[in-house]
């Protein structure tokens, strides 16, 4: 094949791509020309690169439509078109039109929007379905409870990039197929690539699951109980703060409205979440986390929460101060997956709370709660399956949660609030976005009221 | 622990915040997005770099997909060739792909023998929380294109950003395969 024929084929191909691009974006040919002219004016995108540049500054649309005898000129035009298309496809902001540029070109905002490749809506989501088959009897032989099959969560995530600096993130959840919740909705101001300010309904940055609660991310059919009773995921409150991420260190630090402690119980802190709905804001809290990633696939860190939870319900000087601390870590290496977390909650004014709510004996709110878990998994197909292929990961989890680790003077512990769970199961991912999990959870406590269960879950994320 | 510990320590926290902000600006150039020019300058300091556009044929696309196990969505690629004293010291390609619903563009720079030299992110339109950092990218450096170049093998995942990790891995594999196919076509190496 001659060089001339090859060049002609390249020209036709480049022209075809240009026409397709223009058509798909409903942009006039004049707009394309404005890009070409702009590129010429800039003298090419890489000043330090010895790229061929457009030398014919007087080239016009009419000229490009005429057959060219000069093969060198034809090649330059093809190269220019290809470069423009490749740059546009890359999303690099060198071709983004400012409002002034758009106005100068007589483009209405909607017409100019096509150039704002860095802006606009993004959509994602996840969901999970959970079948829970409970044992017929508890540890002590008393009756268990009925099995359930729940459309546990279906979530749509939407984000909108107003500009390079201002970004909106929202997550809207339908729980149990009927309850709509706003999981989070916040606006980020990205001051630099590494540091930003965030405000809105934010996820409290604690533990391993609360911020990364997609079923394709956490192991097990159910979230760990420690991250249900002590770090009550999905835990979100109204607030604002700062965040930062560097290569090996990341942090978040927020001020949020405090818990509504009136709904605390001997079973944990979960009832105190206000979830952003007309939240009482007599007491605020600070929360934050610091994570270190010493090597890819391995990270560890800690998080805290501290603030009042009374919201005025216990009278002057009694704020039901609540402080939670956790330490966590995770390692994913060569198909192995190890995760662990320990959390501790301290509650001030527990006596005042118990007196106000007429809670006596072992029904009272504790001064201290603690829990933790460690889990191990190994993807049996990690070293053999095709790239992006299926994963099959058996796992075990050991967990212990005590929601009455220390009771106030005059109150006693319930034998049923210190629970152990031993879980064995597997997860199968036919592709990274879809997971089927099956596990068996053995539950024991000193009251012999532990109830075993067999679970099957289907999850997805996109 | 006493309540409002952090209110009483407000000055200390303000100091910590100021330090974080300062640190963020200091390491700004080392993490996050860079321009294509910066990426090339970092990968090939002092070298003369020429650019060209690659138009792939159907047969080349098939070869690349076979080698990389990754889909090839575009037949148009930007290639940069770096020379020092007239000798080719490496090549770089721009790979644009979709992470979740938004784009990411990488400049994947290769040594002359096709191994990964450096990876830079020029565009990342998903939330910044999910971007892969330089330490994670460094796992690819010096690696050949083989079956072990995959997540959960020599490449470790990113906690909470699985899709980014998978997407970048496929992009790097695609670029390495593209380079290999072009060099085979040019007679520089044998299949």
């Amino acid at each position: 094949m001659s060089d001339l024929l090859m060049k002609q084929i390249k020209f036709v191909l480049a022209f075809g791509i240009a026409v397709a691009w223009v058509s798909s974006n409903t942009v006039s040919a004049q707009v394309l020309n404005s890009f070409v002219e702009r590129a010429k004016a800039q003298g090419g995108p890489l000043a330090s690169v010895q790229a061929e540049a457009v030398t014919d500054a007087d080239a016009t649309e009419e000229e490009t439509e005429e057959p060219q005898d000069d093969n060198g000129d034809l090649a330059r035009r093809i190269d220019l078109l290809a470069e423009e298309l490749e740059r546009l496809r890359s999303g690099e902001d060198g071709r983004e039109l400012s409002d002034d540029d758009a106005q100068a070109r007589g483009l209405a905002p909607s017409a100019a929007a096509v150039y704002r490749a860095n802006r606009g809506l993004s959509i994602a989501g996840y969901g999970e379905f959970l079948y829970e088959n409970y044992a017929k009897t508890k540890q002590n032989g008393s009756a268990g409870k009925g099995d359930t099959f729940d459309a546990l969560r279906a979530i749509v995530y939407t984000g909108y990039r107003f500009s390079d600096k201002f970004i909106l993130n929202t997550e809207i959840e339908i729980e149990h197929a009927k309850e709509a919740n706003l999981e989070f909705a916040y606006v980020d101001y990205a001051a630099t690539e590494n540091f930003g300010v965030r405000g809105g309904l934010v996820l409290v940055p604690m533990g391993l699951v609360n911020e990364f609660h997609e079923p394709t991310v956490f192991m097990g059919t159910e979230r760990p109980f420690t991250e249900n009773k002590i770090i009550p995921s999905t835990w979100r409150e109204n607030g604002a703060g700062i965040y930062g991420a560097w290569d090996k260190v990341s942090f978040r630090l927020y001020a949020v409205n405090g818990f509504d402690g009136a709904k605390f119980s001997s079973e944990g802190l979960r009832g105190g979440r206000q979830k952003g709905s007309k939240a009482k804001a007599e007491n605020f809290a600070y929360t934050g986390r610091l994570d270190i990633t010493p090597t890819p696939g391995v990270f560890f860190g800690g998080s805290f929460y501290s603030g009042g939870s009374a919201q005025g319900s216990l009278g002057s000087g009694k704020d039901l101060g609540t402080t939670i601390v956790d330490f966590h870590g995770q390692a994913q290496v060569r198909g192995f997956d190890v995760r662990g977390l320990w959390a501790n909650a301290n509650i001030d004014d527990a006596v005042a709370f118990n007196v106000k709510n007429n809670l006596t004996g072992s029904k009272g709110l504790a001064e201290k709660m603690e829990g933790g878990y460690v889990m191990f998994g190994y993807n049996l197909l990690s070293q053999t399956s095709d790239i992006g292929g299926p994963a099959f990961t058996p796992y075990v989890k050991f967990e212990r949660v005590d929601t009455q680790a220390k009771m106030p003077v005059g109150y006693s512990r319930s034998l049923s609030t210190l629970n152990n769970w031993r879980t064995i199961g597997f997860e199968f991912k036919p592709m990274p976005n879809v997971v089927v999990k099956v596990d068996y959870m053995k539950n024991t406590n000193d009251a012999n009221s532990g109830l075993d269960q067999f679970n099957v879950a289907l999850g997805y994320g996109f | 622990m006493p309540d409002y510990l952090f209110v009483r320590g407000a000055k200390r926290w303000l100091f910590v915040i100021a330090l974080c902000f300062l640190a963020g600006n200091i390491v700004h150039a080392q993490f996050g997005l860079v321009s294509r020019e910066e990426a090339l300058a970092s990968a090939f300091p002092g070298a003369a770099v020429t650019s060209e556009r690659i138009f792939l044929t159907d047969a080349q696309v098939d070869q690349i997909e076979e080698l990389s196990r990754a889909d090839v969505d575009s037949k148009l690629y930007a290639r940069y060739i770096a020379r020092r004293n007239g000798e080719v010291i490496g090549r770089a390609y721009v790979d644009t792909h979709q992470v979740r619903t938004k784009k990411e563009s990488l400049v994947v720079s290769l040594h002359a023998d096709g191994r990964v030299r450096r990876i830079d992110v020029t565009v990342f339109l998903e939330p910044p929380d999910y971007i892969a950092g330089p330490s994670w990218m460094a796992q690819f450096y010096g690696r050949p294109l083989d079956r072990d170049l995959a997540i959960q093998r020599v490449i470790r995942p990113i906690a909470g950003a699985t899709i980014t990790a998978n997407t970048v891995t496929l992009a790097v594999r695609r670029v390495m395969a593209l380079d290999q196919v072009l060099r085979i076509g040019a007679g520089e190496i044998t299949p």
Side-chain angles (χ1 to χ4, degrees), chain A residues 304-460:
Chain A
F304 74 91
Y305 170 97
S306 181
S309 303
Q311 304 295 355
S313 65
L314 295 182
S316 177
K318 304 284 185 187
D319 281 327
L320 198 61
T322 306
T323 300
I324 309 172
V325 175
D326 94 70
F327 296 99
H328 52 256
Q330 180 174 324
Q332 294 174 298
V333 179
R334 279 277 182 183
F336 287 97
D337 193 327
V338 183
R339 306 175 192 202
L341 175 142
W342 174 84
N344 171 293
N346 281 282
I347 302 149
D348 299 336
D349 306 318
V351 173
F353 176 90
N354 290 333
V355 169
K356 176 177 172 53
N357 292 287
N358 298 317
L359 299 173
T360 57
S362 63
K363 293 180 181 174
L365 178 66
E367 288 182 335
K368 181 179 174 184
M369 304 178 183
E370 64 182 4
Y373 64 87
V374 60
M375 59 193 309
F376 306 90
Y378 179 68
N379 176 5
L380 294 173
L381 305 179
S382 62
Q383 308 306 305
T384 55
S385 71
D386 205 353
I387 308 300
F392 181 77
T393 309
Y395 56 80
V396 292
K397 179 170 65 176
F398 303 94
E399 183 166 23
R400 180 184 179 93
V401 178
D402 187 353
T403 54
Q404 289 186 325
K406 182 183 177 189
M407 295 299 287
V409 174
Y411 293 83
S412 59
R413 287 168 48 89
S414 164
L415 295 176
S416 64
T417 51
L418 169 56
N419 281 274
N420 291 288
W421 286 271
R422 281 168 288 167
T423 304
I424 184 167
F426 68 85
E427 64 175 39
F428 174 64
K429 290 181 179 175
M431 59 184 300
N433 303 74
V434 177
V435 64
V436 176
K437 307 177 190 179
V438 178
D439 60 28
Y440 181 80
M441 298 164 58
K442 185 161 187 61
N443 172 217
T444 57
N445 59 42
D446 291 341
N448 287 324
S449 59
L451 180 63
D452 300 346
Q453 63 186 95
F454 170 77
N455 306 312
V456 180
L458 169 66
Y460 61 86

Side-chain angles (χ1 to χ4, degrees), chain B residues 4-185:
Chain B
Y4 301 134
L5 173 69
F6 302 102
V7 174
R8 287 202 293 269
K11 282 184 182 174
R12 203 173 350 170
W13 280 108
L14 283 174
F15 179 68
V16 170
I17 291 166
L19 271 184
C20 291
F21 188 80
L22 187 64
N25 282 290
I26 289 169
V27 298
H28 174 70
Q30 298 169 20
F31 183 61
L33 307 183
V34 297
S35 70
R36 199 178 287 201
E37 293 86 343
E38 288 169 331
L40 292 168
S42 300
F44 308 108
V49 182
T50 56
S51 73
E52 61 184 2
R53 257 54 56 190
I54 303 295
F55 297 87
L56 296 174
T57 65
D58 288 342
Q60 286 173 320
V61 167
D62 290 343
Q63 285 177 290
I64 294 164
E65 290 184 339
E66 173 70 24
L67 274 170
S68 67
R69 319 301 290 174
D71 292 336
V72 176
D73 295 330
S74 173
K75 292 180 179 174
L76 174 61
Y77 272 84
R79 175 161 81 164
Y80 299 89
I81 300 176
R83 290 183 176 85
R84 198 175 286 147
N85 300 323
E87 187 181 342
V88 173
I89 61 166
R91 294 166 297 279
Y93 299 82
V94 177
D95 189 279
T96 299
H97 44 264
Q98 186 170 302
V99 181
R100 277 190 155 171
T101 56
K102 307 296 274 185
K103 279 180 185 174
E104 176 183 53
S105 281
L106 303 175
V107 174
V108 182
S109 301
L110 307 177
H111 289 285
D113 63 3
R115 287 177 296 112
V116 177
R117 185 182 185 104
R118 183 183 170 96
I119 304 167
D120 289 284
V121 186
T122 57
V123 173
F124 191 83
L125 301 181
E126 297 286 357
D129 314 37
Y130 301 117
I131 197 168
S135 288
W136 188 84
M137 295 291 198
Q139 295 180 98
F140 292 92
Y141 297 178
R143 298 275 182 196
L145 177 61
D146 57 20
R147 283 181 56 82
D148 225 23
L149 193 73
I151 292 290
Q152 295 203 342
R153 292 182 197 166
V154 295
I155 306 301
R156 297 173 185 171
I158 306 171
T162 312
I163 295 175
T164 302
N166 281 321
T167 310
V168 171
T169 303
L170 289 173
V172 174
R173 290 185 62 88
R174 183 164 46 238
V175 164
M176 295 177 81
L178 164 63
D179 185 66
Q180 214 172 99
V181 166
L182 293 178
R183 289 165 66 213
I184 290 170

Side-chain angles (χ1 to χ4, degrees), chain A residues 204 206 228-233 235-237 256-264 268-275 279-285 305-313 319-324 345-347:
Chain A
V204 174
M206 293 199 70
N228 177 294
K229 295 174 181 294
I230 299 175
I231 300 172
S233 69
W235 184 12
R236 64 276 190 189
E237 303 292 354
V256 297
N257 62 257
F259 276 121
D260 181 3
K263 295 171 185 170
F264 286 168
L269 306 175
R270 190 171 185 78
R273 296 178 301 166
Q274 299 208 64
K275 305 177 188 175
K280 296 173 183 171
E282 292 294 325
N283 291 118
F284 272 77
Y305 170 97
S306 181
S309 303
Q311 304 295 355
S313 65
D319 281 327
L320 198 61
T322 306
T323 300
I324 309 172
N346 281 282
I347 302 149

Side-chain angles (χ1 to χ4, degrees), chain A residues 87-136:
Chain A
R87 284 269 182 174
L88 283 167
R89 184 176 179 274
S90 76
E92 290 170 25
D93 58 7
R95 292 293 179 268
E96 187 171 330
L97 288 182
S98 67
D99 288 341
D100 288 344
D101 286 339
Q103 194 174 3
R105 285 166 171 75
L107 294 170
S110 57
V114 68
Y115 302 106
R116 297 192 175 104
N118 292 358
R119 302 181 188 181
L121 185 71
S122 62
I123 296 175
Y126 69 88
E128 53 185 321
F129 304 86
L130 177 63
Y131 171 68
E132 294 174 291
N133 183 305
Y134 293 96
K136 299 295 179 200

Side-chain angles (χ1 to χ4, degrees), chain A residues 34-361:
Chain A
S34 74
F35 266 138
V36 174
E37 286 162 14
R38 190 174 169 202
K40 288 173 189 167
Q42 291 175 349
L46 281 172
S48 62
V49 166
Q50 298 169 1
E52 290 181 323
V54 176
T55 54
D56 183 4
D58 297 320
T60 62
E61 183 183 359
E62 288 74 27
E63 284 174 338
T64 61
E65 289 176 349
E66 292 173 2
Q68 298 292 317
D69 295 330
D70 184 345
N71 290 336
D73 187 50
L74 188 64
R76 278 194 296 272
R77 286 161 192 263
I78 292 168
D79 203 48
L80 176 63
L81 275 172
E83 185 177 357
E84 289 290 334
L85 289 170
E86 189 275 321
R87 284 269 182 174
L88 283 167
R89 184 176 179 274
S90 76
E92 290 170 25
D93 58 7
R95 292 293 179 268
E96 187 171 330
L97 288 182
S98 67
D99 288 341
D100 288 344
D101 286 339
Q103 194 174 3
R105 285 166 171 75
L107 294 170
S110 57
V114 68
Y115 302 106
R116 297 192 175 104
N118 292 358
R119 302 181 188 181
L121 185 71
S122 62
I123 296 175
Y126 69 88
E128 53 185 321
F129 304 86
L130 177 63
Y131 171 68
E132 294 174 291
N133 183 305
Y134 293 96
K136 299 295 179 200
T137 58
K138 295 181 179 176
Q139 268 181 287
N140 57 16
S142 62
K145 64 180 185 181
D147 304 336
T148 59
F149 198 172
D150 193 17
L152 190 56
R153 296 182 179 88
I155 274 87
V156 176
Y157 158 90
T158 56
Y160 196 87
R161 184 181 287 266
F162 301 112
S163 70
D164 287 344
K165 296 289 185 188
F166 287 95
I167 302 164
L168 169 72
N169 278 312
T170 70
E171 195 174 287
I172 298 166
E173 172 191 62
I174 297 176
E175 205 168 83
H176 310 300
K178 61 179 182 181
E179 299 167 14
N181 285 304
L182 190 59
E183 286 265 293
F184 62 73
Y186 56 79
V187 175
D188 278 353
Y189 172 69
T192 72
E193 298 289 349
N194 312 99
F195 179 85
V197 181
R198 174 171 292 169
L201 179 62
V202 298
L203 292 170
V204 174
M206 293 199 70
L208 288 175
V209 169
N210 200 52
E211 290 186 299
F212 299 111
H213 49 255
E214 300 180 13
T216 50
V217 174
F218 69 87
M219 274 199 293
T221 55
E222 300 199 14
R223 299 176 185 182
F225 290 96
T226 311
E227 300 198 65
N228 177 294
K229 295 174 181 294
I230 299 175
I231 300 172
S233 69
T234 307
W235 184 12
R236 64 276 190 189
E237 303 292 354
N238 294 324
I242 57 175
Y243 63 91
W246 295 277
D247 192 21
K248 295 186 175 181
V249 178
S250 67
F251 84 95
R252 287 177 275 297
L253 182 64
Y254 306 150
V256 297
N257 62 257
F259 276 121
D260 181 3
K263 295 171 185 170
F264 286 168
S265 76
S266 61
E267 296 292 321
L269 306 175
R270 190 171 185 78
R273 296 178 301 166
Q274 299 208 64
K275 305 177 188 175
S277 177
K278 295 182 179 175
K280 296 173 183 171
E282 292 294 325
N283 291 118
F284 272 77
Y286 290 87
T287 180
R289 75 182 290 140
L290 178 71
D291 289 308
I292 296 169
T293 305
T295 182
V298 178
F299 80 92
F300 61 86
S303 60
F304 74 91
Y305 170 97
S306 181
S309 303
Q311 304 295 355
S313 65
L314 295 182
S316 177
K318 304 284 185 187
D319 281 327
L320 198 61
T322 306
T323 300
I324 309 172
V325 175
D326 94 70
F327 296 99
H328 52 256
Q330 180 174 324
Q332 294 174 298
V333 179
R334 279 277 182 183
F336 287 97
D337 193 327
V338 183
R339 306 175 192 202
L341 175 142
W342 174 84
N344 171 293
N346 281 282
I347 302 149
D348 299 336
D349 306 318
V351 173
F353 176 90
N354 290 333
V355 169
K356 176 177 172 53
N357 292 287
N358 298 317
L359 299 173
T360 57

